[in-house]
């Protein structure tokens, strides 16, 4: 018999919230209805339990604050709207209020005290869980899902509900259409746990799309700057949308940007382009989104920029127009007056070069500047003075390409070390006091910090006497690990590949702990075992499908007969973990590499499709493989969702 174990949905949600959130309504409801066909009551109860299990797990694992906040926002903002959507199909016998009470009643399915009282950190975790429970219940009240008396019964004490206005996306979009500045305070509210983040996120995505359509780039610049200041808030927005919905309008606008050479002033246009470009690149970097993932065309500006982000070209290979533009930029950046001060970028420089062409030229611009410095054709102070101009908001995103080129060529000529350190210090420590500029610069640092930190660490090992290296390395440290992805850095992946036995043991241990936890019922319930989906993602990258499947089947066949349904659910849920879909997979003839998890699924399908090969396996192993395959296909099936009322 199939069963839905406590660990199954816990694992799926853990994966969905591990990197870029994969919890938009279509993805989430499609999976839930496939897992709980016709049983909305169990769906809601188990969803609440799995969500709090994931919050408990994150705190027990001492995950970074942002990871915990993403899960809390999912519970307090996403779940109430999901439950409200499911209300129409729940039937009259049971109400959403009853489901919520069933899951959260004290002494029931969710424990607020996962650690013994005397344990280190037990009080903080208990307070955080109880605080999240209260915020969730208040958000449910906002959405009309629970009465105040029910909340009081769950909390076992009187409760005064805060006065919060329930937002609707349509109303907010209309307000922002009339007054785009309305969006700034709304973006601030994305950080809240009051049940309104879904409406705000929808408003952000639709307003950006509308501004792109109307080409209101001045208003769009303001919106982009607000989001750049709070790039981590995109983790909330992404819980409600697919990247394509947000990024494709921005990319199309950047691709189609009109550069009017007859205008009188060019800095405002460059500034608007810079803000829009930076938000686009920062979002794509945060979630490791590639241009095919959002459906942009291969010959578009964004695709070319991302493909050649740090690639310079010899001037002799540039078309005449680009060669002329490069010469103008070099002249504009490094021209000095009689006192040796840089003159600044004039309109003539920007008139003859569109913003798109400028950013495509940046790596070559950096290379030619460094070469000129190296040959003493350009004084270092003049070079640094020119770099100061790149720190202005209208050119600031050029640091992404410039620093990208520099890090790939750093320390290759040992005589350049001092020169490059001076350049790096200039670019990493801007003198501007503008909050907007500083926010843009911080966002850029989060995009370039990891490769530069690694490079500086390597230099420090080779030249430990250089104090400037340690100083710059320390400056970058707060900006490390700002991505939300499941990818391993190459060095980390190589370590796992070389230490395959340790990785296999970790996967085996996790499976055993999860199966044991899911098959054991205690009161109060045991906390989930410390688990992070990245372990399985790494295993899929580092181990062959054959080796990983062998581990999984080994754990299924090693369990008691009565526990096999639980083991199958645990393993199938791990294998069915959601993965990011590329928009390119929907394009005819697109050749997109399968994710490692999908490769594993296809491997299982292939094995099951060959009956003769199955007969050569040990009977119990073959049975486990067939049962696992059926469970996987069942979970991956697209359920026919009942009509939802919103």
């Amino acid at each position: 018999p199939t069963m839905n174990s406590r660990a199954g949905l816990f694992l799926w949600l853990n994966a969905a919230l591990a990197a870029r959130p994969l919890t938009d309504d279509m993805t989430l409801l499609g999976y839930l209805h496939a897992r709980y066909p016709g049983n909305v009551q169990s769906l809601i109860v188990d969803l609440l339990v799995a969500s709090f299990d994931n919050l408990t797990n994150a705190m027990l694992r001492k995950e970074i604050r942002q990871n915990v906040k993403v899960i809390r926002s999912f519970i307090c903002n996403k779940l109430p709207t999901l439950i409200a959507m499911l209300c129409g199909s729940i039937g009259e016998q049971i109400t959403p209020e009853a489901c919520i009470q069933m899951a959260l009643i004290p002494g029931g399915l969710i424990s607020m005290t996962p650690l013994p009282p005397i344990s280190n950190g037990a009080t903080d975790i208990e307070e955080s869980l109880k605080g999240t429970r209260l915020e969730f219940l208040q958000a449910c009240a906002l959405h009309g899902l629970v009465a105040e008396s029910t909340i009081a019964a769950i909390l076992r004490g009187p409760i005064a509900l805060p006065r919060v206005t329930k937002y609707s996306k349509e109303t907010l979009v209309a307000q922002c259409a009339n007054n785009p500045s309305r969006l700034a305070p709304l973006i601030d509210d994305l950080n809240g746990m009051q049940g309104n983040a879904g409406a705000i996120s929808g408003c952000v995505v639709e307003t950006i799309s509308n501004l792109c359509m109307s080409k209101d780039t001045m208003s769009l610049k303001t919106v982009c700057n607000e989001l750049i200041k709070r790039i981590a808030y995109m983790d909330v927005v992404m819980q409600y949308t697919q990247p394509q919905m947000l990024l494709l309008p921005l990319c199309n606008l950047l691709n189609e940007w009109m550069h009017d050479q007859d205008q009188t002033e060019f800095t405002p246009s460059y500034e608007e382009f810079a803000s829009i470009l930076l938000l686009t690149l920062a979002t794509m970097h945060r979630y490791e989104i590639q241009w095919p993932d959002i459906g942009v065309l291969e010959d578009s500006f964004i695709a070319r920029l991302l493909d050649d982000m740090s690639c310079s070209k010899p001037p002799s290979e540039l078309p005449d127009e680009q060669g002329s533009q490069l010469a103008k930029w070099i002249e504009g950046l490094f021209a000095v007056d009689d006192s040796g001060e840089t003159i600044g970028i004039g309109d003539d420089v920007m008139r003859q070069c569109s913003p798109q062409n400028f950013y495509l030229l940046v790596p070559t611009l950096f290379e030619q500047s460094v070469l000129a410095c190296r040959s003493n054709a350009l004084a270092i102070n003049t070079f640094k003075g020119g770099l100061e101009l790149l720190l202005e908001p209208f050119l600031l995103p050029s640091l992404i390409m410039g620093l990208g080129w520099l890090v790939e060529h750093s320390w290759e000529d040992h005589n350049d070390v001092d020169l490059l350190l001076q350049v790096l210090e200039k670019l990493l420590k801007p003198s501007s006091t503008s909050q907007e500029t500083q926010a843009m610069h911080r966002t850029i640092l989060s995009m370039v910090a990891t490769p530069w930190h690694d490079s500086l660490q390597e230099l420090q090992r080779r030249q430990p006497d250089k104090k400037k290296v340690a100083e710059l390395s320390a400056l970058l440290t707060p900006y490390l690990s700002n991505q939300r992805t499941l990818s391993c850095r190459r060095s980390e992946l190589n370590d796992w590949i070389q230490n395959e036995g340790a990785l296999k043991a970790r996967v085996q241990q996790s499976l055993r702990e999860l199966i044991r936890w899911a098959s054991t019922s205690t009161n109060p319930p045991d906390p989930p075992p410390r688990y992070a989906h990245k372990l399985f993602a790494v295993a899929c990258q580092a181990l062959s499908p054959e080796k990983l499947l062998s581990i999984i089947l080994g754990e299924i066949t090693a369990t008691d007969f009565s526990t096999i349904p639980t083991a199958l659910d645990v393993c199938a849920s791990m294998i069915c973990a959601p993965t990011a879909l590329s928009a390119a997979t929907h394009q005819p003839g697109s050749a997109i590499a399968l994710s490692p998890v999908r490769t594993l699924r296809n491997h299982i399908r292939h094995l099951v499709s060959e009956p003769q090969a199955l007969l050569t396996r040990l009977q119990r192993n073959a049975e486990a493989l067939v049962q696992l395959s059926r469970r996987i296909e069942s979970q991956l099936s697209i359920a026919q969702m009942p009509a939802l009322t919103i």
Side-chain angles (χ1 to χ4, degrees):
T2 61
M3 73 166 300
N4 290 325
S5 72
R6 182 170 187 147
L9 191 48
F10 163 80
L11 285 166
W12 194 91
L13 269 185
N14 191 284
L17 296 170
R20 170 173 69 79
L22 302 171
T23 56
D24 60 281
D25 292 345
M26 188 175 294
T27 301
L28 193 51
L29 289 171
Y31 175 78
L32 291 172
H33 280 295
R35 186 173 174 85
Y36 299 92
N39 191 349
V40 179
Q41 176 185 332
S42 293
L43 186 162
I44 293 174
V45 172
D46 286 4
L47 181 58
L48 284 169
V49 171
S51 300
F52 274 92
D53 280 343
N54 269 290
L55 180 59
T56 301
N57 176 63
M59 290 190 288
L60 291 176
R61 293 187 69 251
K62 296 182 171 61
E63 292 193 14
I64 60 171
R65 185 178 300 174
Q66 180 63 16
N67 289 2
V68 174
K69 189 176 284 187
V70 167
I71 300 171
R72 286 184 60 230
S73 182
F74 176 80
I75 291 172
C76 299
N77 290 302
K78 182 78 181 181
L79 289 187
T81 59
L82 269 177
I83 295 170
M85 290 171 71
L86 291 162
C87 282
S89 58
I90 202 170
E92 297 178 4
Q93 301 299 316
I94 189 90
T95 63
E97 187 171 54
C99 296
I100 293 166
Q101 196 165 7
M102 212 179 295
L104 289 174
I105 201 74
L109 299 169
I110 299 171
S111 172
M112 297 289 120
T113 54
L115 290 176
I118 58 171
S119 302
N120 185 32
T123 303
D124 290 343
I125 291 176
E126 180 183 356
E127 287 178 359
S128 185
L129 285 169
K130 286 182 175 178
T132 304
R133 178 180 64 180
L134 174 60
E135 288 168 327
F136 166 72
L137 289 169
Q138 289 171 340
C140 285
L142 181 73
H143 287 269
L145 299 173
V146 293
E148 193 171 328
S149 58
T150 303
I151 297 176
I154 292 171
L155 300 180
R156 292 183 172 172
I159 175 74
L161 293 175
R163 292 184 178 179
V164 179
T165 301
K166 181 185 173 186
Y167 292 154
S168 77
K169 185 190 83 170
E170 292 72 23
T171 303
L172 295 180
V173 169
Q175 291 173 1
C176 293
N178 294 324
N179 177 18
S181 64
R182 169 77 176 106
L183 203 53
L186 288 175
I187 289 170
D188 269 339
D189 287 346
L190 281 171
N191 198 39
M193 303 289 166
Q194 297 177 315
N196 277 322
I200 298 170
S201 297
C203 171
V204 167
V205 173
E206 191 161 324
T207 299
I208 286 176
S209 179
N210 291 342
L211 292 173
C212 289
M213 288 284 288
S214 64
K215 292 188 165 48
D216 182 357
T217 52
M218 189 182 297
S219 298
L220 187 57
K221 171 198 159 187
T222 304
V223 173
C224 289
N225 284 342
E226 289 297 327
L227 288 167
I228 287 166
K229 287 180 202 170
R230 305 165 182 80
I231 199 70
Y233 288 13
M234 296 305 295
D235 298 345
V236 177
V237 175
M238 287 294 168
Q239 292 187 28
Y240 301 89
T241 192
Q242 293 278 359
Q244 189 178 17
M245 300 296 290
L246 174 75
L247 293 171
L248 188 56
L250 291 170
C251 289
N252 287 340
L253 180 66
L254 293 168
N255 293 335
E256 298 161 5
W257 194 272
M258 294 299 295
H259 183 64
D260 181 6
Q261 294 189 342
D262 295 329
Q263 60 193 2
T264 55
E265 196 178 358
F266 292 88
T267 302
S269 175
Y270 261 75
E271 274 191 359
E272 290 161 8
F273 190 93
S275 295
I276 298 164
L277 177 64
L278 181 54
L279 177 66
T280 304
L281 295 181
T283 304
M284 294 180 77
H285 175 267
R286 185 169 182 83
Y287 307 112
E288 216 171 48
I289 297 168
Q290 308 300 321
W291 62 261
D293 298 340
I294 51 176
V296 300
L297 299 176
E298 189 174 357
D299 61 350
S300 65
F301 158 70
I302 281 290
R304 288 159 58 212
L305 180 69
L306 290 168
D307 282 347
D308 299 327
M309 187 78 87
S310 55
C311 297
S312 59
K313 294 178 181 175
S316 59
E317 293 183 11
L318 294 175
D320 290 345
E321 184 183 21
Q322 277 192 309
S324 171
Q325 290 169 345
L326 176 65
K328 283 271 192 183
W329 276 106
I330 290 174
E331 182 184 338
L333 285 169
F334 304 124
V336 294
D337 57 21
D338 294 338
S339 61
E341 296 292 322
T342 50
I343 297 170
I345 302 293
D347 282 333
D348 283 347
V349 177
M350 290 182 278
R351 176 178 284 108
Q352 50 83 47
C353 183
S354 68
Q356 295 104 315
N357 284 347
F358 165 69
Y359 287 103
L360 292 170
L361 277 173
V362 169
T364 304
L365 178 62
F366 265 72
E367 180 181 51
Q368 293 305 306
S369 304
V370 169
L371 290 174
C373 252
R374 187 185 291 168
S375 62
N376 296 320
L378 179 65
I380 181 62
N381 286 338
T382 305
F383 186 19
K384 287 160 67 176
L387 294 178
E388 188 79 44
L389 297 172
L390 296 182
L391 294 167
E392 293 294 327
F394 71 104
L395 299 178
L396 199 51
S398 64
L399 266 62
I400 302 167
M401 302 93 211
L403 286 167
W405 180 86
L406 275 174
V407 77
E408 289 187 7
H409 298 82
S410 55
W411 335 128
E412 59 187 18
D413 182 334
H414 295 294
N415 297 322
D416 280 350
V417 169
D418 290 327
L419 164 66
L420 289 180
L421 286 175
Q422 288 186 64
V423 171
L424 192 57
E425 182 175 33
K426 187 71 178 174
L427 296 177
L428 297 186
K429 297 166 74 173
S431 56
S432 173
T433 56
S434 158
Q435 287 190 348
E436 193 172 282
T437 305
Q438 288 178 349
M440 292 176 76
H441 191 262
R442 284 194 298 271
T443 297
I444 290 168
L445 287 187
S446 71
M447 298 171 68
V448 301
T450 299
W452 266 111
H453 190 267
D454 291 349
S455 181
L456 288 165
Q457 294 282 297
E458 176 61 29
L459 178 62
Q460 196 163 25
R461 280 190 287 272
R462 289 179 357 210
Q463 300 188 26
D465 56 317
K466 292 202 176 291
K467 294 180 180 177
K468 184 63 67 181
V469 177
E471 181 187 322
L472 293 174
S473 185
L475 185 151
L476 289 169
T477 300
Y479 300 97
L480 298 173
S481 305
N482 273 333
Q483 283 183 291
R484 288 185 64 86
T485 80
L486 292 172
S487 295
C488 273
R489 287 160 66 180
R490 175 53 58 186
S491 58
E492 184 185 352
L493 189 58
N494 287 339
D495 288 345
W496 280 120
I497 291 170
Q498 290 167 14
N499 199 1
E500 190 178 283
L503 181 57
K504 287 181 178 179
R506 286 275 301 276
V507 174
Q508 285 174 327
Q509 181 186 358
S510 288
L511 284 170
R512 282 174 197 167
E513 289 175 348
L514 286 160
I515 292 167
R516 189 183 308 120
W517 173 62
S519 56
T520 307
S521 180
T522 60
N523 192 4
D526 288 333
R530 316 303 199 259
Y531 176 77
H533 176 66
K534 187 166 184 179
L535 171 67
F536 183 67
V538 169
C540 287
Q541 293 175 67
L543 301 175
S544 67
E546 294 83 2
K547 288 178 181 176
L548 187 52
L549 180 59
S550 175
I551 295 168
I552 292 168
L553 292 177
E555 292 308 308
I556 294 172
T557 55
T559 58
D560 295 335
F561 182 77
S562 61
T563 313
I564 284 179
T566 301
L568 286 168
D569 186 54
V570 168
C571 296
S573 297
M574 199 176 275
I575 295 168
C576 292
T579 55
L581 276 174
S582 167
T585 57
H586 304 298
Q587 303 295 328
S590 61
I592 299 298
L594 284 177
S595 72
V597 176
R598 290 206 180 106
T599 303
L600 175 62
R601 292 176 198 161
N602 285 350
H603 177 64
I604 293 170
R605 285 191 187 107
H606 174 70
L607 292 177
V608 174
S609 69
E610 295 191 333
Q612 289 302 317
L614 281 175
L615 292 173
T616 65
R617 290 175 171 267
L618 292 173
Q619 182 180 348
R620 192 161 187 194
N621 184 285
E623 287 173 352
L625 175 59
V626 172
Q627 289 173 318
L628 178 65
S629 175
R630 288 174 181 166
R631 187 72 174 141
I632 290 169
E633 296 306 324
S634 170
Q635 288 200 25
L636 291 177
S637 65
I638 303 299
Q640 184 63 45
M641 289 189 284
L644 301 175
T645 58
I646 302 175

